[in-house]
């Protein structure tokens, strides 16, 4: 008998009859998980991607539970010679035992739901006390350096530490775990939407004990209806045990700590080491462990987002940050933001073990940029100077209390910072010299490997082992200790001066200087080939930056241990870019790619490539031509023609803010902007993010409101920038975007030293692969050029994806640049868009195709108001 789970033909947990593309996607996800695959899934926005991912993965988890339960019923050592009735009785007894365990656990969760309801009711009149402060001893470094010089034997020291920790909780020693799904997305708001979709599923993974009174209690306390079991529902089981993970900043319920705008993480850690009244009152002691276990069960009883966790933690007067961590082992679905999944230090801190678990990464088109961002560290000269100052004061203040080993490590650290500061100052002085005083002016930016940097630092840095420095910083937590001590000293010196205290509070809210130093040193310890150190002038001061060039480095740790990794997004094209950057070393047999079509009928989408403008010349909006008056005038004429036939809203994406400002200023003086405003009211994306919501609200209101002169809806035109605030995460549904127009190709600045290094890096990797017998795909250019083009088309695809948000939606997508006609560029579009693209040879043909599309829509589908 095969142990492989068969692919389901149907998914009963789906809340309605799925479209064919949804069924195809769910089967592909199910198979990928079962077969231990790494999968790249593209499912356009509006096709129910999140719901399909949850349904398929949780269906697999349910089937996996059945397989595991049956495995437990296959008793090891059972003799085939035993009578059938003996085997039957043994299996039946084992089955009843497993069922009893499940019922017992379900009862615990049911009781937890009752306690949660009671706590919410009592929380209204609950008054929380504010705890006291801490002492100077808390700022001494952690670690065993003192023990190294002690005469006490290691065995006795280990016994002493064990006794100091107190009796361990039996529950924590026997903490059960289970197969789980880690579902990651960019933001907590996106994860809250995942929970919203989860409540739609009709899937029961666990035994449940429904109680009508619980539903009444929850409603009475204002609990959102999605998390309530309806008293009329015949519940045979409950949904997955889920937990959302957040940061201390989001989940801390200690009022005094939250009021202090300093380093909340360090303040929390300091309180954990205190005893008695100085200890955090919201973290139960070992003797009160049942309070933490109660909160853990309440978290698992019903799915909650981070806001829910904060409120239930307040009601229970137990820390929800640690409560959510305690819930991870027994959770079946863990929701977490990217950084908690992708950073090894974060996973270790939370106790996350991905071994043989399922990982789903939604909004996967952001993964590469996120990985590169997480591994990029910046160290401005001012920050370095502050770090040296704080370290100097600390060493002077604690010199008589530091062990020999701690003193030695801190002196090495100071030598390293002195050498780094000296080189940065010399480099800055060279940049600031007038040209006449320089024999040869140095470059505005200097790029080097970490090994080359250490050589440039001179004799003071010779013999310093960066790995040892990094290990000491990590284990002693000295960066946090010194920063905490510095802030405390400033507060003491300020006394009651409110102005000074306000400045100190603002300073404490920034990243502590030594944290930035620690991050930079940790980055330098990675492979020299995979990273570059850049010196540049930013706002008049030197900025030292470490840039990791290989996004796959840290993600490889996830791929190697997880059972399956699903990378999903609305626009994952071009998929070759994802494969090359993240999975180039993965065996081909383990990688699966899948791109499904859209749920809309073909008649609801019109995609055009415009090669020529009204004057008959080829349209090319290259960087050098974007200031050409003739080119800008022709673009204005194109948009005036479009505005005459496009109903309601029209969104025009341009390559940059610089281009947007140049074109609007030119059109103001030439009268083009007034002509556009006469046809559709014109809005522009603001650079100030605080103004975005106002612009969008006014844009939508204009589209829905009739014109004063005609009593008809003339609509609106919104200029936006590719890759900026409006190109991702926003929905221009229905009348908000009956046309999305992309002007030009938004290529990145080739003069950027960072981009040059990345392109050079991928070219070196490709050359090695070709030298080892590898091949280049037919028609492909060198790896650097492919990377450059793919970065551009990734941004274009995200902008295109703002329209067409549901089955009944319709719009035209217009690509205004002759370069889009190139097969190389066009094949990088999502397949559901590229397959129906029409390349127009003349402007007249483009207008004719658009006119026919909108006439058909007026006849078939009335415009949504």
């Amino acid at each position: 008998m095969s142990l492989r789970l068969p692919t389901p033909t149907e998914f009963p947990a789906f809340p309605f009859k799925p479209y064919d593309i949804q069924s195809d996607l769910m089967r592909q996800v199910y198979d990928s998980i079962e077969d231990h695959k790494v999968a790249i899934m593209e499912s356009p926005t509006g096709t129910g991607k999140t719901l399909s991912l949850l349904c398929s993965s949780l269906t697999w988890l349910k089937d996996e539970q059945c397989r595991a339960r049956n495995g437990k019923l296959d008793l090891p050592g059972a003799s085939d010679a035993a009578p059938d009735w003996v085997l039957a009785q043994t299996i039946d007894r084992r089955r009843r035992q497993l069922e009893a365990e499940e019922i017992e656990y379900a009862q615990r969760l049911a009781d937890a739901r009752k306690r949660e309801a009671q706590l919410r009711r009592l929380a209204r009149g609950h008054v929380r006390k504010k705890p006291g402060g801490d002492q100077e001893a808390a700022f001494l470094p952690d670690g065993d350096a003192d023990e190294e010089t002690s005469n006490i034997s290691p065995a006795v020291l280990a016994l002493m530490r064990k006794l100091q920790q107190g009796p361990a909780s039996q529950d924590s020693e026997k903490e059960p775990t289970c197969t789980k799904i880690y579902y990651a997305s960019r933001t907590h708001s996106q994860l809250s939407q995942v929970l919203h979709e989860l409540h739609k599923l009709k899937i029961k993974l666990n035994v449940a004990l429904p109680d009508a009174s619980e539903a009444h209690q929850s409603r009475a306390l204002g609990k959102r209806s999605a998390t309530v079991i309806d008293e009329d529902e015949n519940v045979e089981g409950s949904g997955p045990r889920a937990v959302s993970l957040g940061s201390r900043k989001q989940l801390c319920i200690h009022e005094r700590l939250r009021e202090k705008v300093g380093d909340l993480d360090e303040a929390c850690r300091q309180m954990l080491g205190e005893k008695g009244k100085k200890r955090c009152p919201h973290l139960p002691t070992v003797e009160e462990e049942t309070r933490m276990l109660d909160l853990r069960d309440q978290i698992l009883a019903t799915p909650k987002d981070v806001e829910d966790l904060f409120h239930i933690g307040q009601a229970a007067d137990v820390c929800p940050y640690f409560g959510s961590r305690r819930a991870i082992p027994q959770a079946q679905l863990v929701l977490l933001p990217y950084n908690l999944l992708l950073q090894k230090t974060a996973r270790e801190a939370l106790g996350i073990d991905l071994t043989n678990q399922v990982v789903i990464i939604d909004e996967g088109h952001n993964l590469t940029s996120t990985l590169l961002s997480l591994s990029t560290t910046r160290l401005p000269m001012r920050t370095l100077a502050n770090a040296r100052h704080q370290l100097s004061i600390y060493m002077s203040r604690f010199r008589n209390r530091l062990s020999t080993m701690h003193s030695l490590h801190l002196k090495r650290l100071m030598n390293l910072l002195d050498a780094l500061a000296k080189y940065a100052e010399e480099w800055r002085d060279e940049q600031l010299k007038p040209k006449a005083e320089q024999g040869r002016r140095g470059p505005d930016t200097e790029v080097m490997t970490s090994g080359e940097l250490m050589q440039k630092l001179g004799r003071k840095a010779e013999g310093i082992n960066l790995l040892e420095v990094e290990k000491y910083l990590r284990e002693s937590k000295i960066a946090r200790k010194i920063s905490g001590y510095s802030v405390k000293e400033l507060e003491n010196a300020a006394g009651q001066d409110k102005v000074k205290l306000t400045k100190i509070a603002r300073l404490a809210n920034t990243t502590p200087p030594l944290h930035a130093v620690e991050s930079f040193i940790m980055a330098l310890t990675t492979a020299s080939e995979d990273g570059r150190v850049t010196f540049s002038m930013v706002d008049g001061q030197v900025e030292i930056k470490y840039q990791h060039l290989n996004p796959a480095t840290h993600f490889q740790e996830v791929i190697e241990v997880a059972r399956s990794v699903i990378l999903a997004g609305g626009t994952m094209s071009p998929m070759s870019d994802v494969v090359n950057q993240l999975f180039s070393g993965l065996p081909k047999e383990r990688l699966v790619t899948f791109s499904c079509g859209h749920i809309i009928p073909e008649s609801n989408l019109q995609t055009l490539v415009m090669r020529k403008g009204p004057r008959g010349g080829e349209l090319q909006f290259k960087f050098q031509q974007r200031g050409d008056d003739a080119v800008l005038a022709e673009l204005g004429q194109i948009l005036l023609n479009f505005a005459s036939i496009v109903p309601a809203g029209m969104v025009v994406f341009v390559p940059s803010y610089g281009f947007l400002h140049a074109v609007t200023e030119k059109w103001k003086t030439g009268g083009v902007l007034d002509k556009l405003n006469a046809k559709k009211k014109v809005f522009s994306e603001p650079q100030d993010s605080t103004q975005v919501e106002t612009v969008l609200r006014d844009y939508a209101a204009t589209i829905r409101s009739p014109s004063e002169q005609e009593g008809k809806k003339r609509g609106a035109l919104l200029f936006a920038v590719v890759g900026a605030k409006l190109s991702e995460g926003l929905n221009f549904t229905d009348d908000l975007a009956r046309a999305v127009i992309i002007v030009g190709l938004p290529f990145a600045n080739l003069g950027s030293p960072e981009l040059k290094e990345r392109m050079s890096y991928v070219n070196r990797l490709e050359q090695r692969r070709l030298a080892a017998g590898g091949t280049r795909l037919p028609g492909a250019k060198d790896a650097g050029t492919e990377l450059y083009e793919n970065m551009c088309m990734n941004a274009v695809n995200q902008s295109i994806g703002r329209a067409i948000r549901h089955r009944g939606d319709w719009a035209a997508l217009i690509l205004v640049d002759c370069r889009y006609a190139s097969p190389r560029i066009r094949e990088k579009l999502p397949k559901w868009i590229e397959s129906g693209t029409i390349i127009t040879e003349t402007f007249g043909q483009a207008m004719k195709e658009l006119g026919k599309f909108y006439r058909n829509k007026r006849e078939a589908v009335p415009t949504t108001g």
Side-chain angles (χ1 to χ4, degrees):
M1 184 177 104
S2 174
L3 293 177
R4 187 189 186 279
L5 294 174
T7 307
T9 55
E10 296 181 348
F11 290 86
F14 210 72
F16 47 82
K17 181 175 173 55
Y19 299 117
D20 289 343
I21 61 170
Q22 291 172 328
S23 295
D24 292 343
L25 175 62
M26 288 191 286
R27 281 192 284 268
Q28 188 67 60
V29 171
Y30 188 102
D31 280 347
S32 297
I33 296 174
E34 174 62 13
D35 295 335
H36 300 257
K37 301 287 188 182
V38 173
I40 306 172
M41 306 287 183
E42 182 176 63
S43 177
T45 304
T47 56
K49 166 175 59 71
T50 301
L51 196 59
S52 299
L53 290 171
L54 286 171
C55 183
S56 52
S57 59
L58 290 173
T59 297
W60 175 86
L61 185 60
K62 182 178 181 179
D63 294 345
E64 165 64 15
Q65 286 181 339
C66 292
R67 175 167 59 185
R69 188 179 295 113
N70 291 335
K72 291 178 181 178
L73 292 177
D74 290 339
L75 301 175
S79 173
D80 294 336
D84 290 345
W85 66 269
V86 172
L87 291 175
Q89 282 191 355
T90 305
I91 292 174
D92 186 58
R93 183 168 62 251
R94 180 62 176 146
R95 181 182 291 110
R96 287 198 303 270
Q97 179 184 351
L98 292 173
E99 290 174 353
E101 292 173 357
E102 292 173 355
I103 291 172
E104 180 185 2
Y105 190 79
Q107 183 65 57
R108 281 173 53 191
L109 297 185
D111 292 341
R113 284 192 289 271
K114 291 180 180 179
R115 287 193 297 274
E116 179 182 338
Q118 293 169 352
L119 287 169
R120 286 180 180 275
R121 183 170 62 250
L122 295 171
R124 295 175 180 175
H126 187 65
V127 178
R128 283 171 283 276
K129 297 180 180 180
K130 296 184 179 181
D134 46 23
Q135 293 180 343
E136 192 176 85
F139 299 114
L140 287 170
D142 292 349
D144 298 327
D146 289 330
E147 296 176 3
E148 293 176 15
T149 58
S150 171
N151 292 324
I152 304 175
S153 72
V156 174
L157 286 170
L159 180 60
M160 289 171 62
R161 285 194 296 267
K162 186 174 180 181
L163 291 173
Q164 289 170 358
Q165 291 170 357
S169 165
Q170 290 184 355
D171 192 280
S172 62
E173 287 181 358
K174 299 180 180 179
E175 192 80 37
T177 188
C178 61
T179 302
K180 57 185 92 274
I181 297 165
Y182 288 92
Y183 196 112
S185 194
R186 273 196 320 146
T187 64
H188 282 288
S189 61
Q190 290 171 334
L191 292 172
S192 294
Q193 183 61 32
V194 173
L195 276 181
H196 178 74
E197 297 295 302
L198 175 65
H199 294 305
K200 296 179 182 178
L201 292 180
K202 299 181 291 185
I203 191 164
K204 310 300 178 185
L205 272 72
N206 308 293
V207 175
L209 303 173
D211 185 342
S213 63
E214 294 175 33
H216 285 301
Q217 289 173 337
S218 297
R219 288 196 184 95
L221 294 170
K223 183 68 178 172
R224 60 182 69 173
S225 59
T227 62
V228 175
I229 298 177
D230 192 278
E231 64 264 37
D232 299 322
E233 184 182 1
N234 180 22
V235 182
E236 297 177 353
S238 66
R241 300 188 296 272
V243 60
S244 299
L245 301 182
S247 65
R248 284 181 171 90
K249 186 176 181 180
Q250 293 163 318
L251 294 174
C252 178
I253 61 173
H254 193 297
E255 291 186 2
R256 181 169 295 176
L257 288 191
R258 284 193 292 117
E259 288 171 1
K260 290 179 65 175
V261 290
D263 188 352
L264 183 62
D265 284 333
E266 177 56 23
C268 173
R269 292 186 184 100
Q270 288 177 6
M271 293 199 77
L272 293 179
E274 298 289 357
K275 295 180 180 180
K277 292 182 179 181
K278 294 180 181 179
R279 194 173 187 270
C280 178
H282 308 294
L283 188 64
T285 61
V286 173
E287 292 76 16
E288 300 175 308
E289 180 74 355
T290 53
R291 290 177 57 210
M292 179 61 77
L293 300 181
D294 284 345
L295 180 64
R296 177 200 65 188
D297 291 344
Q298 289 170 41
I299 290 171
L300 295 173
T302 53
K304 300 171 179 68
D305 60 22
V306 288
E307 185 179 343
D308 293 326
L309 291 175
F310 177 84
H311 291 304
I312 192 58
Q314 275 194 328
D317 200 27
V318 177
C319 175
Y321 174 74
F322 285 101
S324 59
R325 288 173 58 168
R326 288 298 297 269
I328 293 174
Q330 296 182 37
Q332 295 161 316
L333 176 64
V334 180
L335 305 178
L336 69 172
Y338 278 177
N339 62 310
L340 297 185
L341 173 74
L342 300 176
Q343 291 181 303
K344 185 177 181 180
T345 53
R347 294 197 304 271
E348 291 175 345
L350 291 168
I352 292 176
D353 183 4
L354 298 178
T355 304
N356 206 31
Q357 307 290 10
V358 179
V359 175
I360 297 177
I361 300 176
D362 204 351
E363 302 298 325
H365 57 271
N366 292 301
L367 182 59
T368 299
S369 59
T370 300
L371 286 164
L372 290 172
S373 176
L374 289 173
S375 57
T376 296
T377 61
R378 288 177 168 82
L379 183 62
M381 185 68 176
R382 187 181 297 113
T383 303
L384 177 59
N386 289 337
R388 293 170 65 212
H389 179 67
Q390 289 184 359
L391 178 57
S392 176
I393 292 176
Y394 181 88
M395 291 176 66
S396 175
R397 175 67 184 84
F398 289 91
R399 63 180 181 275
N400 294 328
R401 301 183 63 180
L402 293 170
S403 70
T404 304
M405 290 302 297
H406 279 306
S407 295
L408 180 60
H409 281 300
L410 291 177
K411 285 177 182 176
R412 287 174 180 167
L413 177 61
M414 180 60 85
N415 287 340
L416 178 61
L417 299 190
D418 286 344
L420 189 59
K422 181 182 178 184
Y423 179 77
E425 289 168 358
E426 292 173 349
W427 187 88
R428 178 199 58 198
D429 293 342
E430 185 66 22
Q431 301 304 307
L432 297 178
K433 282 182 182 179
K435 289 186 178 180
E437 295 182 16
Q438 294 186 17
R440 181 180 63 84
R441 180 175 173 82
D444 293 333
T445 300
E446 185 176 5
V447 182
M448 64 193 79
T449 66
S450 56
E452 289 170 344
L453 172 63
M454 293 303 292
Q455 290 177 0
K456 291 175 182 287
L457 295 187
R459 287 184 300 173
K460 212 168 187 183
E462 282 182 6
I464 293 180
N465 187 324
L466 286 178
L467 289 172
E468 287 184 2
V469 175
E470 185 274 331
K471 181 182 178 183
Y472 175 72
L473 289 170
R474 174 167 37 85
E475 293 182 351
S476 68
K477 302 179 178 60
I478 193 65
R480 292 198 300 268
K481 304 283 185 179
I482 293 175
S483 298
Y485 173 73
S486 300
V487 171
K488 179 177 177 293
E489 285 299 291
L490 288 172
E491 289 174 343
N492 292 339
Q496 301 300 314
D497 189 324
K498 291 184 178 180
V499 175
K500 289 184 178 179
L501 288 173
T502 301
K503 291 181 178 179
I504 293 168
R506 194 179 299 118
L507 174 66
N509 200 33
T510 61
T511 302
L514 272 159
H515 284 209
V517 168
E518 181 177 3
S519 297
F520 183 74
I521 293 175
M522 289 177 68
L524 292 180
T525 62
T526 58
S528 183
E529 175 66 17
D530 288 349
R532 291 293 182 272
V533 179
T534 304
F535 281 73
S536 59
M537 296 296 293
V538 178
D539 297 330
Q541 70 163 320
V542 179
E543 180 184 77
I544 313 170
K545 181 171 73 172
Y546 176 87
Q547 174 194 14
H548 203 68
L549 303 175
N550 186 0
T553 302
H554 302 299
F555 193 51
Q556 188 65 30
E557 300 165 355
V558 175
I559 297 171
E560 287 176 352
V561 299
R563 176 193 180 98
S564 175
V565 176
I566 309 294
L567 194 59
T571 48
M572 297 299 296
S573 299
M575 283 196 185
S576 60
D577 180 59
V578 183
V579 174
N580 291 338
Q581 294 209 59
L582 297 179
F583 307 119
S584 58
L586 194 71
K588 290 183 179 180
E589 59 272 16
R590 199 185 171 204
L591 183 65
V592 174
T593 60
F594 177 82
S595 180
C596 65
H598 212 295
I599 56 176
I600 61 169
E602 292 182 3
S603 59
N604 280 18
L605 176 67
Q606 173 80 78
T607 306
L608 299 178
V609 171
M610 287 190 59
R611 296 190 63 168
K612 296 182 179 179
R615 300 175 185 176
E618 281 203 334
L619 294 170
Q620 263 198 2
F621 294 90
K622 290 185 177 180
F623 181 78
Q624 301 86 342
Q625 298 167 299
R626 290 173 188 172
D628 189 312
D629 289 351
V631 171
L632 299 185
E634 188 158 30
L635 176 60
Q637 190 61 44
I638 291 170
L639 295 182
L640 281 169
N641 279 274
F642 287 169
S644 300
I645 61 174
V646 175
M650 184 167 129
V651 182
V652 181
F653 282 99
V654 296
S656 66
Y657 281 111
F659 180 86
L660 177 58
H661 294 153
V663 76
T664 50
E665 287 300 317
K666 177 66 179 176
W667 288 347
K668 278 180 185 177
T669 57
V672 176
L673 206 57
D674 291 335
K675 292 178 182 178
L676 278 174
N677 260 309
K679 293 178 180 293
K680 292 183 182 293
K681 187 172 181 180
V682 176
F683 296 86
S684 291
E685 175 178 340
Q687 284 189 265
D688 185 351
S689 57
T690 61
Q691 300 175 12
V692 170
E693 188 174 344
T694 301
V695 171
L696 288 175
R697 184 171 59 246
D698 293 345
Y699 170 72
T702 302
I703 290 172
R704 298 188 177 106
S705 302
S707 167
E708 293 179 3
Q709 294 85 359
E710 305 173 11
K712 297 180 181 179
K713 297 179 180 178
R714 65 168 180 159
L717 185 157
L718 175 62
F719 284 106
V721 176
V722 175
K725 305 169 189 69
L726 302 184
S727 64
E728 186 174 344
L730 293 174
N731 297 340
F732 291 107
T733 186
D734 297 323
D735 276 359
L736 294 181
R738 290 308 183 192
V740 172
I741 301 162
I742 310 289
V743 178
L745 280 87
F747 283 110
N749 179 11
L750 261 179
S752 163
E754 290 87 354
L755 179 57
K756 286 181 179 179
E757 287 297 326
R758 281 202 68 202
M759 292 175 66
S760 175
Y761 175 76
V762 296
N763 277 335
R764 288 196 300 273
L765 292 183
E766 183 187 46
Q767 289 303 316
R768 291 176 192 170
R769 183 172 56 81
L770 294 175
T775 58
R776 184 181 289 170
L777 292 174
K781 295 186 178 181
D782 64 85
T785 304
E786 286 290 329
L787 172 67
Y788 186 58
E789 290 183 354
N790 290 338
M791 288 171 64
C792 168
M793 290 308 295
N794 278 330
V796 168
N797 290 339
Q798 288 309 306
S799 300
I800 289 174
R802 297 312 93 208
I804 312 292
R805 312 303 287 186
H806 59 83
R807 181 172 176 79
D809 207 352
W810 52 271
L813 306 178
I814 308 163
L815 307 174
V816 185
D817 196 300
C818 66
R819 290 172 291 176
Y820 283 110
S822 162
R824 281 182 43 75
I825 297 296
R826 207 167 63 251
E827 71 182 8
K828 297 179 188 293
L829 292 167
K831 292 294 178 284
W832 66 278
I833 293 176
E834 190 269 339
S835 60
T837 298
I838 297 174
I839 301 173
T840 59
E841 297 297 330
T842 65
F843 181 71
Q845 182 190 357
M847 291 298 294
K848 181 179 179 182
E849 293 288 349
L850 278 179
K852 181 170 65 174
F853 174 73
Y854 288 118
R855 279 195 305 275
N856 292 338
K857 287 294 115 184
R858 281 198 300 270
E859 295 169 2
V861 185
T863 299
T864 303

